[in-house]
Amino acid sequence: MSKWLKPPWLELNIMLALAVITYLVILAAVMAMPTPEGGMAGGVIWGWLVGFFVISTLIALVATIGGIGGGVLFTPFILAFTPIDSLIARGTGLIVAMFSGLMATGPVCRSGLANVKMCIFLCVAFGVACFGGALGAVVVAEHLGEFGEAAVRMLLGLVIGGLILYFIFGGKRIEWPDVKVSDKITQYLQLRQPFYEPSLKKVVDYGLTRMGWLFCGILFVGMGSGFFGMGAGWAIVPFQNVIAGTPLKVAAANSVVLLGMGDCVAVWPYFMMGALIPILAAPWLAGQVVGGLLGALVLVQIKAGFVRWLLIGLMGFSCWGLITRALSMWNVIERPPHWMNGLVLLILLTFVMINIVREYRLKD
Amino acid sequence: MNEDRPIAPEWNRVYGEIVYWITFVACLICFIGPMFSMLFPENNAMNPYFTYALVFEGMTGSDIWIALYGEWPWFHYVWWNNFFTGDGFTMFGVALGTTVALWALIPTMFVFARHKLPQYVLFSAIVCFMVVLAASGIIRIG
């Protein structure tokens, strides 16, 4: 039997076929039916449905490979280019952040790349901290106002900036850290889990350490995630790598599993406030699932260096957004226009592409 | 590093497979639901033509529900009472997908118990408890 008819390609093909059929049926329906007075034109709705699905698929592909939630890319895009209410955007953003991770969970768990025990342990911290952070956002808004919010954004931006430098100059040591001795908490948690690494054609039996500190770090990240109402993969990956010595590919895989698990808690307060509009969320969810599966299949195969450079680019864009937002909230600068944000993203993507190409040209 | 290919642990496989297939089903629902929404616009909790118009007017979620559905009751009442409508069925798909960690962690807990890993039974139970609290609306923000 052809590999295209076997899992996971079979599921991918079913979803793509269903996407084509359902969107064609919707197109036929909207062309045949008149638009009710006061409603949006059927053709425009169809355009949004298909456009959302395609953009969502692309976001999920990039996000899964980088081990981040797509919310970091989705929420600014929606808030910048559409008049959609911010609560609906944030609720749908969490769907975007979690569903690529949920679909990627299958392949990365099956291959042994993700460490489910580690994810469950860290999810305890992440879930509690997300709620703490969201409550903290209310407190900060009430007591410290815009100055306090800007200070937290600046702090986060500087932390990410430091991590970017560490990722650039850390090189191979970052991709495959060599942990010789585990501490007592890590030993108690029995987290050792060797896996086969296709890009190296070897079994990797990695060591871990400082899980207690990582737990505290994830508390901090979860607080930030809940506070700002955005995904946290951009911080979960480097924290696992820097604190616990988790190999970068394992950290990216753990991150997608953890985001899928943790956002099952974080998304519900938004839904309970009425922020889920099913017909709006559906194409974003479907696109995340299709792109997430495709991204997971790529992630299992690619070199760790690719993940590292992609993360540097995505973290760089987050860093730019956080620092400029903080400075504009303090009235030091004007908020950068969309064209400038786009230009920064383009420069960072070019930088990433150049380094990935250079990485692939180097013979191991 | 050695050359033998290890099999992923049982808890990895159980958790991963359940999350994968439930997410897959949720995705299929999110293709089919909007199709029925647009085919039968009157058979919906909220008419999609007006829903999109109000979303792009910048109205809040609860205001849109009140304007088109008449009220914003408890989340799960909405999909339960509108299960056989396009958007009600879609809402069920989203709810199924966003509680998937709960459905996957329950059997995974049994796997951990069988492998005598009580600490992970406890951690899994805590995460399940948090999902139940959040999805039932007991924990709210704002």
Side-chain angles (χ1 to χ4, degrees):
Chain A
M1 197 195 294
S2 159
K3 84 166 188 176
W4 304 104
L5 296 173
K6 287 181 189 167
W9 293 104
L10 178 64
E11 292 92 270
L12 197 61
N13 289 331
I14 289 172
M15 289 190 287
L16 288 173
L18 202 58
V20 172
I21 292 167
T22 53
Y23 290 134
L24 282 177
V25 170
I26 292 171
L27 180 63
V30 297
M31 285 173 75
M33 274 184 257
T35 302
E37 203 180 321
M40 185 181 272
V44 179
I45 296 178
W46 182 82
W48 281 119
L49 285 171
V50 175
F52 285 163
F53 173 72
V54 172
I55 295 169
S56 179
T57 304
L58 295 175
I59 287 178
L61 184 64
V62 175
T64 306
I65 295 169
I68 61 165
V72 172
L73 304 171
F74 166 88
T75 310
F77 168 81
I78 287 293
L79 291 178
F81 300 110
T82 74
I84 294 175
D85 171 63
S86 73
L87 204 62
I88 296 176
R90 283 156 72 188
T92 312
L94 276 172
I95 289 180
V96 170
M98 72 187 289
F99 270 86
S100 57
L102 286 176
M103 200 55 184
T105 292
V108 295
C109 284
R110 227 177 273 145
S111 67
L113 182 60
N115 190 325
V116 166
K117 286 202 287 191
M118 191 170 162
C119 295
I120 294 171
F121 171 66
L122 296 178
C123 191
V124 174
F126 187 69
V128 172
C130 270
F131 273 108
L135 292 173
V138 177
V139 174
V140 166
E142 281 174 1
H143 293 94
L144 294 175
E146 207 164 73
F147 180 86
E149 239 185 84
V152 180
R153 277 174 206 273
M154 177 59 81
L155 184 69
L156 261 176
L158 292 175
V159 169
I160 295 171
L163 287 171
I164 291 169
L165 293 178
Y166 183 71
F167 268 45
I168 291 173
F169 298 111
K172 295 277 177 198
R173 189 161 49 88
I174 303 286
E175 292 162 19
W176 301 107
D178 189 15
V179 177
K180 296 264 191 285
V181 185
S182 297
D183 64 354
K184 281 188 179 163
I185 296 176
T186 312
Q187 284 172 14
Y188 168 74
L189 290 169
Q190 301 175 50
L191 291 167
R192 214 160 189 111
Q193 185 181 301
F195 70 98
Y196 179 73
E197 172 52 44
S199 70
L200 298 175
K201 296 188 174 63
K202 279 178 183 171
V203 171
V204 178
D205 190 3
Y206 58 94
L208 294 164
T209 188
R210 294 193 291 268
M211 289 306 293
W213 286 111
L214 180 59
F215 191 87
C216 297
I218 296 296
L219 274 176
F220 173 74
V221 171
M223 292 276 275
S225 174
F227 189 90
F228 296 116
M230 62 181 187
W234 50 269
I236 290 173
V237 178
F239 271 52
Q240 286 182 83
N241 180 262
V242 174
I243 299 174
T246 315
L248 207 51
K249 274 186 75 171
V250 177
N254 282 350
S255 173
V256 293
V257 176
L258 180 57
L259 284 175
M261 202 185 286
D263 284 342
C264 281
V265 180
V267 77
W268 280 98
Y270 289 98
F271 286 4
M272 289 294 165
M273 287 191 279
L276 174 70
I277 304 296
I279 189 91
L280 178 79
W284 285 104
L285 188 155
Q288 286 301 303
V289 174
V290 172
L293 180 55
L294 210 53
L297 297 173
V298 175
L299 176 64
V300 172
Q301 300 296 329
I302 56 168
K303 287 183 177 180
F306 183 92
V307 179
R308 181 163 68 94
W309 285 110
L310 188 63
L311 270 172
I312 288 167
L314 294 172
M315 284 162 63
F317 192 56
S318 297
C319 180
W320 160 262
L322 285 164
I323 290 176
T324 53
R325 186 74 203 275
L327 291 173
S328 64
M329 286 168 89
W330 283 333
N331 293 321
V332 176
I333 58 166
E334 286 288 311
R335 205 167 166 187
H338 296 320
W339 67 263
M340 193 184 283
N341 289 332
L343 185 68
V344 170
L345 183 63
L346 193 69
I347 291 169
L348 284 168
L349 287 177
T350 310
F351 172 74
V352 167
M353 288 310 296
I354 289 169
N355 281 289
I356 286 171
V357 170
R358 207 179 56 181
E359 185 103 6
Y360 271 74
R361 279 186 185 158
L362 289 173
K363 300 251 189 263
D364 284 337
Chain B
M1 294 183 189
N2 60 61
E3 299 304 320
D4 302 318
R5 287 193 188 200
I7 299 169
E10 193 184 355
W11 46 83
N12 254 53
R13 284 177 280 133
V14 168
Y15 181 80
E17 290 299 326
I18 295 171
V19 168
Y20 181 81
W21 288 109
I22 291 181
T23 307
F24 178 64
V25 171
C27 176
L28 298 188
I29 292 173
C30 283
F31 281 125
I32 296 165
M35 184 180 75
F36 282 107
S37 259
M38 296 304 289
L39 277 176
F40 310 104
E42 296 307 320
N43 186 32
N44 278 291
M46 299 193 291
N47 185 312
Y49 289 91
F50 297 118
T51 307
Y52 259 84
L54 295 185
V55 164
F56 281 88
E57 276 175 23
M59 275 178 79
T60 66
S62 55
D63 285 348
I64 293 170
W65 279 101
I66 290 165
L68 298 177
Y69 187 62
E71 57 172 343
W72 172 242
W74 189 49
F75 179 94
H76 300 288
Y77 279 137
V78 183
W79 66 259
W80 179 258
N81 290 332
N82 297 278
F83 189 79
F84 295 105
T85 66
D87 58 353
F89 187 53
T90 307
M91 210 168 169
F92 162 72
V94 177
L96 178 73
T98 47
T99 46
V100 66
L102 176 67
W103 315 125
L105 278 174
I106 292 169
T108 309
M109 265 196 283
F110 287 102
V111 174
F112 284 134
R114 211 174 58 225
H115 286 269
K116 297 188 173 54
L117 291 162
Q119 65 273 48
Y120 289 101
V121 176
L122 178 67
F123 297 146
S124 305
I126 293 171
V127 176
C128 287
F129 185 62
M130 286 193 289
V131 177
V132 170
L133 285 182
S136 61
I138 293 171
I139 295 181
R140 282 169 184 261
I141 295 165

